[in-house]
Amino acid sequence: MMLFMLLFSRQGKLRLQKWYMAYPDKVKKKITRELVTTILARKPKMCSFLEWKDCKIVYKRYASLYFCCAIEQNDNELLTLEIIHRYVELLDKYFGSVCELDIIFNFEKAYFILDELLIGGEIQETSKKNVLKAIASQDLLQERKQKHIRSPRYPR
């Protein structure tokens, strides 16, 4: 099971975080700071897996963003790399070549895509097509709601 996922920039700025285990905020900040520092200090040719405390860390850099996941000791690192890659593919499909600014300005969409892919730290949907269909449906619903709110019949 995945314990948490972090997205951060090459400058160490946290862009997205999803925690599947309950930690106090102080502990989350400490974990984040330690991992960001550790991963940014690693050379590009080094392995994307590392043992950290009582879990394994799996990370991958795409352009200016690092995608980092903590998994339990008995979980498969390659499957986690595949999940990270699947998430990046979904972000790419949705945003059309995703970049850091897409995550910054549309973080709610990035979280929604992640929630469609993973629930409770476990893979929920493996089909990119089904995830994108759910996101398109949600976008349509949101668009209809905005039109309804803007209509003159809606009491203000």
Side-chain angles (χ1 to χ4, degrees), residues 44-105:
K45 299 264 183 197
M46 292 178 87
C47 181
S48 294
F49 313 136
L50 58 121
E51 298 283 329
W52 186 77
K53 298 193 178 184
D54 60 341
C55 61
K56 291 186 222 172
I57 303 299
V58 178
Y59 70 93
K60 181 85 170 121
R61 180 178 160 200
Y62 289 91
S64 65
L65 284 174
Y66 284 89
F67 292 74
C68 169
C69 296
I71 57 173
E72 294 174 340
Q73 284 290 340
N74 58 351
D75 284 342
N76 187 332
E77 301 94 341
L78 295 176
L79 180 62
T80 306
L81 264 182
E82 187 61 35
I83 290 170
I84 290 171
H85 188 69
R86 178 63 47 108
Y87 182 50
V88 171
E89 286 178 327
L90 287 165
L91 290 171
D92 265 347
K93 284 259 194 221
Y94 184 78
F95 291 111
S97 189
V98 69
C99 67
E100 189 175 348
L101 289 175
D102 291 322
I103 304 293
I104 293 169
F105 292 117

Side-chain angles (χ1 to χ4, degrees), residues 1-155:
M1 183 179 110
M2 193 176 294
L3 305 174
F4 57 85
M5 179 185 263
L6 305 173
L7 266 73
F8 54 92
S9 68
R10 286 187 294 182
Q11 292 77 33
K13 300 277 188 205
L14 190 62
R15 298 300 182 202
L16 184 136
Q17 59 181 332
K18 187 72 174 182
W19 299 84
Y20 298 107
M21 296 290 289
Y23 295 100
D25 284 342
K26 199 172 185 178
V27 174
K28 286 180 185 179
K29 286 179 182 169
K30 184 178 183 222
I31 289 171
T32 302
R33 191 173 43 251
E34 282 180 32
L35 281 177
V36 167
T37 305
T38 302
I39 292 171
L40 289 176
R42 292 173 65 87
K43 292 182 174 42
K45 299 264 183 197
M46 292 178 87
C47 181
S48 294
F49 313 136
L50 58 121
E51 298 283 329
W52 186 77
K53 298 193 178 184
D54 60 341
C55 61
K56 291 186 222 172
I57 303 299
V58 178
Y59 70 93
K60 181 85 170 121
R61 180 178 160 200
Y62 289 91
S64 65
L65 284 174
Y66 284 89
F67 292 74
C68 169
C69 296
I71 57 173
E72 294 174 340
Q73 284 290 340
N74 58 351
D75 284 342
N76 187 332
E77 301 94 341
L78 295 176
L79 180 62
T80 306
L81 264 182
E82 187 61 35
I83 290 170
I84 290 171
H85 188 69
R86 178 63 47 108
Y87 182 50
V88 171
E89 286 178 327
L90 287 165
L91 290 171
D92 265 347
K93 284 259 194 221
Y94 184 78
F95 291 111
S97 189
V98 69
C99 67
E100 189 175 348
L101 289 175
D102 291 322
I103 304 293
I104 293 169
F105 292 117
N106 300 293
F107 65 89
E108 67 283 343
K109 292 293 181 194
Y111 277 112
F112 186 78
I113 293 169
L114 184 59
D115 289 342
E116 285 295 316
L117 183 66
L118 296 170
I119 291 184
E122 299 286 344
I123 191 84
Q124 171 66 23
E125 179 60 70
T126 56
S127 167
K128 286 187 281 188
K129 190 176 178 181
N130 288 347
V131 172
L132 291 169
K133 197 183 300 182
I135 296 163
S137 172
Q138 186 65 31
D139 284 348
L140 185 63
L141 184 65
Q142 189 175 9
E143 189 179 306
R144 285 182 182 165
K145 182 180 176 188
Q146 290 298 325
K147 281 183 183 176
H148 178 70
I149 289 172
R150 287 191 213 118
S151 72
R153 292 177 287 170
Y154 189 73

